[in-house]
Amino acid sequence: AGRTFTEVFQLQFSMFNYHSTLTATHAFSSQWWSWPLILRPVWFFVSHLPNGTVSTIAAMGNPAVWWVGFVFVIFAVEDAVRKRSLACIFISTLFFFQWLPYVLISRVTFLYHFYVNVPIMCLATAYFLNAYWSSRWGKIAAIAYFASVVALFGLFYPVISGVPVSDSWINSLKWLGSWVF
């Protein structure tokens, strides 16, 4: 509001210059290639409470959604190339056009930059679950998958919400050495 087109255009260059020359670091930053694997959650808050209880908040994805979804994106790429499936071409193109520009970003980046890709991974998952839904094993696999998504949401809910739980509960969820929360 109140800016000319020329000023808006100049502001774009100012923003680009700021971000392209930024040399900041951060303890919870992560590289673009690590995001689908959830190698480095962004830890926002921790409070150690009485009786071995802790409240912590970290930004991370549901492992069942992210890990399975990423595998299905890879399968979508294969079907896009091999079968020329329009749905898989759409999913693959959308996913990589959103994710791969981060290869060129030299400034500090975080896992939450990948959040836009989560619905695309869900779309890839839905595509393949639907493809096999007509078989008995496809239905069993889909139901088991949905149950694991719900179970992992419940399991990790204290980590993403700050709900106080025992310190041992939080420590049991640190499946990877790089997970700090």
Side-chain angles (χ1 to χ4, degrees), residues 38 40-44 57-61 111-112 115 159-160 181:
I38 321 170
R40 190 72 172 161
V42 182
W43 193 20
F44 293 119
I57 299 175
M60 66 177 294
L111 180 72
Y112 55 72
Y115 282 5
V159 171
I160 63 172
F181 40 75

Side-chain angles (χ1 to χ4, degrees), residues 121-144:
M121 291 190 300
C122 291
L123 191 59
T125 302
Y127 175 83
F128 286 102
L129 291 179
N130 180 63
Y132 294 101
W133 182 254
S134 59
S135 75
R136 181 173 188 261
W137 288 110
K139 284 182 177 71
I140 291 169
I143 291 167

